Amino acid sequence: MFRSLISLALLTAAVLCVAPETRAQTATVTIDFDDQPGGLPPSPAVTTGMFSPFATFSTIAGSKLLIFSAADAVGGSPPNVLTAAADVVLGPFDSDVFVDFTHPVQDLHFKVSSGNDVGNIGSVNVFVDGSLASTLGIIGTGEFTVPIPIDLTSFTNVTRVEIVNITDEFGLSYDDFVFTAPVPEPATAAMLAVGLMIILGLASRRT
């Protein structure tokens, strides 16, 4: 009896350890910066960009990531939007912004706000499985308070996004990054290991 229980426990543990990805689930994630401290020039809120377990935001050397409040004034969802600049007080807020995902994501889309100019005002580089897959233009309408939707839902396994080549007069801001990401289930193998130890203990007492 004890030998059968031990064999079953070992077999289950082996299956769980060998194929953890088959047990992964997915969830829709929204990063809207609204849970972060915000500010406005001359006292903008500087952020490290490491506030989500699903993605890390960064910018170029010499610039800083900023979280601005009063997002509704520039076409974002209140209260906050993300931007980046070398001069955090005067701008322009046109520094590159990079988004690196912890795991490849699907169904990605986000909003660009604060656009003053008309035509191509920036670019979005999309990386799939670590390689550059496409470059899309950010097309401004001249409507400062109307967000520009960036739809990347046709790409699967997106690992990185780069927002670059911003030419808008005062720069841009970003909001509402929405995507589907894998969410691993709890480590049932660890719980099984505890059960196995109990079984072995009982077996040793039995003998």
Side-chain angles (χ1 to χ4, degrees), residues 68-151:
F68 280 179
S69 54
D72 50 339
V74 296
S77 60
N80 294 335
V81 291
L82 181 79
T83 187
D87 188 328
V88 301
V89 176
L90 300 177
F93 303 96
D94 59 357
S95 294
D96 298 346
V97 171
F98 312 123
V99 189
D100 290 284
F101 297 97
T102 309
H103 298 286
V105 303
Q106 329 295 327
D107 307 318
L108 173 63
H109 54 95
F110 63 96
K111 298 174 184 176
V112 175
S113 303
S114 312
N116 291 278
D117 300 338
V118 177
N120 197 317
I121 56 175
S123 302
V124 178
N125 294 330
V126 185
F127 289 76
V128 171
D129 290 326
S131 298
L132 179 63
S134 184
T135 298
L136 290 74
I138 301 174
I139 308 303
T141 62
E143 298 289 338
F144 185 77
T145 59
V146 178
I148 303 167
I150 304 298
D151 186 352

